[in-house]
């Protein structure tokens, strides 16, 4: 998440474009957004018994 959402002083123009492309991909792709969310908070837990 940090590498997608924060600007870094040492980034070259190429690195900044790459960061923007990665963020755009996560915003446009449901699969990429799900992967990011699962990696950020963990994979889904098994349902709790009722």
């Amino acid at each position: 998440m940090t590498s997608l959402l924060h600007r870094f002083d040492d980034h070259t123009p190429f690195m900044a474009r790459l960061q923007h492309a990665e963020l755009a991909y996560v915003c446009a792709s449901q699969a990429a957004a799900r992967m990011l969310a699962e990696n950020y908070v963990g994979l889904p837990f098994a349902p709790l018994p009722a």
Side-chain angles (χ1 to χ4, degrees):
M1 289 290 282
T2 300
S3 64
L4 286 177
L5 301 176
H6 290 85
R7 293 183 183 169
F8 299 96
D9 294 335
D10 61 340
H11 270 189
T12 64
F14 174 77
M15 293 167 73
R17 287 193 312 271
L18 181 61
Q19 179 186 19
H20 185 265
E22 290 174 352
L23 181 58
Y25 178 62
V26 169
C27 292
S29 167
Q30 184 178 7
R34 178 174 290 148
M35 180 271 310
L36 178 67
E38 288 177 349
N39 285 321
Y40 187 71
V41 300
L43 294 174
F45 292 104
L48 295 174

